[in-house]
């Protein structure tokens, strides 16, 4: 038996005005998913535990079978794993953005103009972070370049007893009230001020400013975390797993859980992603000996954040046509028995443009044991069934027949 998870990030929704009060799952044409739902198990599952924020990190960890109250230790350590930084037990990681601040003389008087420094390219950002690292790295504190504006600071022996503000929460606000507080605050503030001097004269920034783009004028650390204690997925569940995703965070989870993280060329996480390539990579992983494949698709979530109903519908329809149907056809052609779990991690309602913690509908289809529920895959139909899994992380045991 092979096991495949089709994870449509943020796919579940609330009634959408644009579609006369219907949800995306209700209006999207998804004949293969609906077939599997009508001949499989439909239920609801709570993927975000009480007291946890409905981030994609927490929700995807739950779907993968991890109790996030036990294992979740922050977002930045997962990003560290994704960019290949090995953490020691007494390391504390901080997400470090490259940001654009306004140009008042005094650092404290500045305003947060852009948390992404104009979505700076990875190439440019690498040069800048390397320049910062050269000046600011110590025996204990080190900077690492990541992707675009998203970088990393690792403080060996650092503290998580800090109060740092996510820069995307203070757009166009004065930074004075949002500077680091708690253990090591003075060290951080000094590094931030020094980074400004290092970055100011850098040729990369001069070129950006000349081209009318936001320069990266400062580092901005936040999002502290410690090394995650994720039990190895294969040890935990007895199946060899692969993960396919365009998103750093999901790749980081895969690495921390000892799963194989497969990169697909042209996988972007939006509607123009390489859908065929991802579906083919999932099939190849199975043919190459993976027992379990976790295929994560970010596009519905992105379209939810953008509040774009037609594009979100397109994303769901494309998952059905290019991924689910492809895998079903290819596996059946080869006589391979499989179970497929289809679900979102959390809803990203069009009306809110952000994540919520509501339970989500899931489908489990077993190619060797077709049932007959006759229901299509929607939030309302999920609620009609009596199946409700309160502890989201137990769904994986159920799916894998453990
Ligand atoms: Zn999201």
């Amino acid at each position: 038996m092979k096991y495949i998870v089709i994870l449509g990030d943020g796919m579940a929704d609330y009634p959408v005005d644009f579609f006369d009060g219907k949800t995306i799952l209700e209006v999207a044409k998804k004949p293969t998913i609906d077939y599997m739902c009508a001949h499989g198990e439909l239920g609801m599952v709570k993927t975000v535990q009480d007291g946890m924020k409905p981030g994609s990190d927490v929700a995807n960890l739950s779907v993968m079978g991890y109790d996030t109250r036990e294992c979740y230790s922050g977002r930045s350590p997962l990003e560290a794993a994704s960019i290949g930084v090995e953490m020691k037990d007494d390391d504390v990681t901080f997400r470090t953005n490259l940001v654009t601040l306004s140009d008042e003389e005094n650092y404290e008087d500045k305003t947060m103009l852009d948390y992404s420094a104009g979505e700076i390219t990875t190439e440019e950002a690498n040069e800048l972070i390397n320049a910062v690292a050269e000046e600011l790295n110590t025996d204990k504190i080190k900077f690492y370049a990541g992707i675009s504006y998203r970088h990393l600071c690792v403080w060996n022996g650092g503290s998580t007893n800090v109060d740092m503000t996510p820069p995307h929460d203070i757009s166009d606000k004065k930074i004075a009230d949002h500077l680091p507080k708690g253990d090591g605050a003075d060290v951080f503030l000094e590094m931030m001020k020094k980074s400004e001097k290092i970055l100011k004269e850098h040729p990369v920034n001069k070129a950006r400013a000349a081209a009318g783009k936001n320069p990266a004028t400062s580092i901005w650390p936040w999002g502290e975390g410690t090394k995650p204690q994720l039990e190895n997925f294969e040890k935990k569940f007895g199946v060899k797993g692969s993960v396919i995703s365009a998103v750093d965070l999901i790749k980081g989870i895969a690495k921390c859980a000892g799963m194989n993280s497969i990169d697909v060329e042209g996988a972007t996480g939006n509607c123009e992603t390489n859908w065929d390539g991802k579906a083919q990579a999932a099939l190849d992983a199975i043919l190459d000996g993976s027992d379990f494949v976790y295929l994560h698709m970010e596009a519905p979530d992105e379209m939810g954040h953008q509040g774009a109903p037609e594009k979100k519908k397109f994303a769901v329809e494309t998952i059905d046509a290019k991924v689910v149907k492809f895998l079903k056809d290819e596996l059946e052609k080869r006589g391979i028995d499989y179970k497929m779990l289809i679900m979102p991690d959390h809803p990203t309602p069009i009306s809110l443009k952000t994540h919520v913690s509501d339970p989500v509908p899931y489908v489990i289809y077993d190619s060797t044991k077709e049932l007959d529920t006759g229901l299509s895959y929607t939030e309302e139909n999920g609620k009609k069934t009596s199946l409700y899994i309160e502890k989201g992380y137990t769904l994986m045991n159920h799916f894998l027949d453990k």
Side-chain angles (χ1 to χ4, degrees):
M1 182 65 84
K2 300 288 187 180
Y3 300 91
I4 302 161
V5 178
I6 302 292
L7 198 294
D9 201 298
M11 191 161 63
D13 214 302
Y14 293 159
V16 180
D17 286 346
F18 183 84
F19 290 124
D20 298 324
K22 292 203 158 56
T23 70
I24 302 293
L25 291 179
E26 283 167 348
V27 294
K29 289 190 186 63
K30 45 181 178 35
T32 307
I33 294 176
D34 284 336
Y35 175 88
M36 290 181 160
C37 188
H39 297 89
E41 172 189 317
L42 173 65
M44 298 296 286
V45 55
K46 186 170 160 58
T47 52
V48 181
Q49 289 172 281
D50 290 334
M52 306 293 293
K53 287 192 188 129
S56 285
D57 43 5
V58 163
N60 276 279
L61 276 167
S62 286
V63 179
M64 285 186 199
Y66 292 93
D67 180 349
T68 50
R69 282 202 193 136
E70 305 249 302
C71 72
Y72 185 70
S73 61
R75 178 187 180 109
S76 61
L78 299 169
E79 294 178 332
S82 163
I83 60 174
V85 174
E86 294 272 346
M87 286 181 72
K88 297 191 201 81
D89 288 336
D90 58 346
D91 280 345
V92 178
T93 51
F94 299 86
R95 154 67 87 79
T96 301
N97 282 39
L98 279 174
V99 300
T100 309
L101 301 177
S102 60
D103 53 9
E104 285 80 1
E105 184 80 14
N106 191 5
Y107 195 86
E108 283 83 353
D109 294 337
K110 292 172 185 293
T111 295
M112 177 67 66
L113 296 181
D114 185 349
Y115 69 86
S116 73
E119 302 216 331
I120 189 165
T121 67
T122 300
E123 222 177 14
E124 291 170 303
N126 271 7
E127 271 196 56
L128 297 176
I129 285 292
N130 290 338
V132 168
E134 206 164 291
E135 300 270 335
L136 298 186
N137 275 5
T138 67
D139 287 350
K140 293 283 177 193
I141 299 177
K142 299 214 167 3
F143 289 87
Y144 297 90
I147 310 280
S148 180
Y149 59 90
R150 307 183 297 272
H151 308 281
L152 185 75
C153 172
V154 181
W155 188 337
N156 181 249
S159 168
T160 53
N161 184 25
V162 291
D163 181 7
M164 323 269 271
T165 307
H168 52 261
D169 285 352
I170 52 166
S171 293
D172 299 321
K173 289 196 180 138
K174 291 263 179 212
I175 63 172
D177 294 338
H178 306 286
L179 294 168
K181 296 178 189 75
D183 295 346
D186 48 340
V187 177
F188 278 116
L189 186 57
E190 199 190 321
M191 291 196 295
M192 290 158 85
K193 288 180 178 174
K194 281 187 180 162
S195 76
E196 202 221 353
K197 301 226 156 50
I198 299 163
L199 294 171
K200 198 174 225 163
E201 297 305 319
H202 199 284
V204 165
N205 269 332
K206 289 199 163 154
R208 284 186 67 79
K213 297 175 187 163
N214 281 345
T217 66
S218 181
I219 56 167
W220 191 277
W222 60 286
E224 67 283 0
T226 52
K227 188 176 174 178
Q229 306 293 336
L230 285 195
E231 198 182 337
N232 180 282
F233 187 85
E234 190 173 348
K235 255 195 206 147
K236 190 172 165 71
F237 293 111
V239 290
K240 214 171 110 189
S242 295
V243 174
I244 300 164
S245 174
V247 176
D248 295 354
L249 201 56
I250 309 294
K251 292 183 189 194
I253 293 174
K255 286 183 184 163
C256 291
M259 284 191 271
N260 184 19
S261 172
I262 298 170
D263 293 322
V264 175
E265 218 183 302
T268 56
N270 59 37
C271 280
E272 285 75 47
T273 191
N274 181 0
W275 301 97
D276 299 317
K278 286 178 95 165
Q280 184 67 48
L283 179 65
D284 291 346
I286 284 173
L287 300 178
D288 288 347
S290 282
D291 309 304
F292 172 90
V293 175
Y294 194 91
L295 182 48
H296 172 266
M297 280 152 300
E298 177 77 352
D301 179 64
E302 279 295 316
M303 299 311 124
H305 286 295
Q306 291 180 19
E310 281 181 294
K311 284 188 182 165
K312 190 170 175 187
K313 174 171 171 274
F314 169 83
V316 172
E317 290 177 342
T318 309
I319 289 172
D320 185 79
K322 292 215 166 175
V323 179
V324 178
K325 181 174 191 303
F326 171 83
L327 288 171
K328 183 175 189 292
D329 290 350
E330 293 298 318
L331 292 169
E332 284 172 7
K333 206 161 72 187
R334 291 172 172 82
I336 297 171
D337 294 339
Y338 66 96
K339 281 179 84 174
M340 197 179 277
L341 167 62
I342 304 169
M343 62 184 294
D345 47 352
H346 51 68
T348 309
I350 292 278
S351 57
L352 301 179
K353 298 188 187 176
T354 189
H355 305 173
V356 292
S357 307
D358 303 36
V360 295
Y362 73 89
V363 171
I364 294 178
Y365 173 79
D366 182 338
S367 71
T368 67
K369 228 185 336 193
E370 286 204 345
L371 306 172
D372 198 8
T373 70
L375 293 170
S376 60
Y377 180 58
T378 68
E379 296 85 353
E380 276 310 304
N381 284 343
K383 287 178 206 160
K384 274 186 210 154
T385 70
S386 54
L387 287 170
Y388 175 61
I389 298 175
E390 166 82 24
K391 289 182 175 147
Y393 60 90
T394 63
L395 175 62
M396 187 51 70
N397 280 302
H398 172 53
F399 176 56
L400 297 173
D401 305 305
K402 300 289 163 195

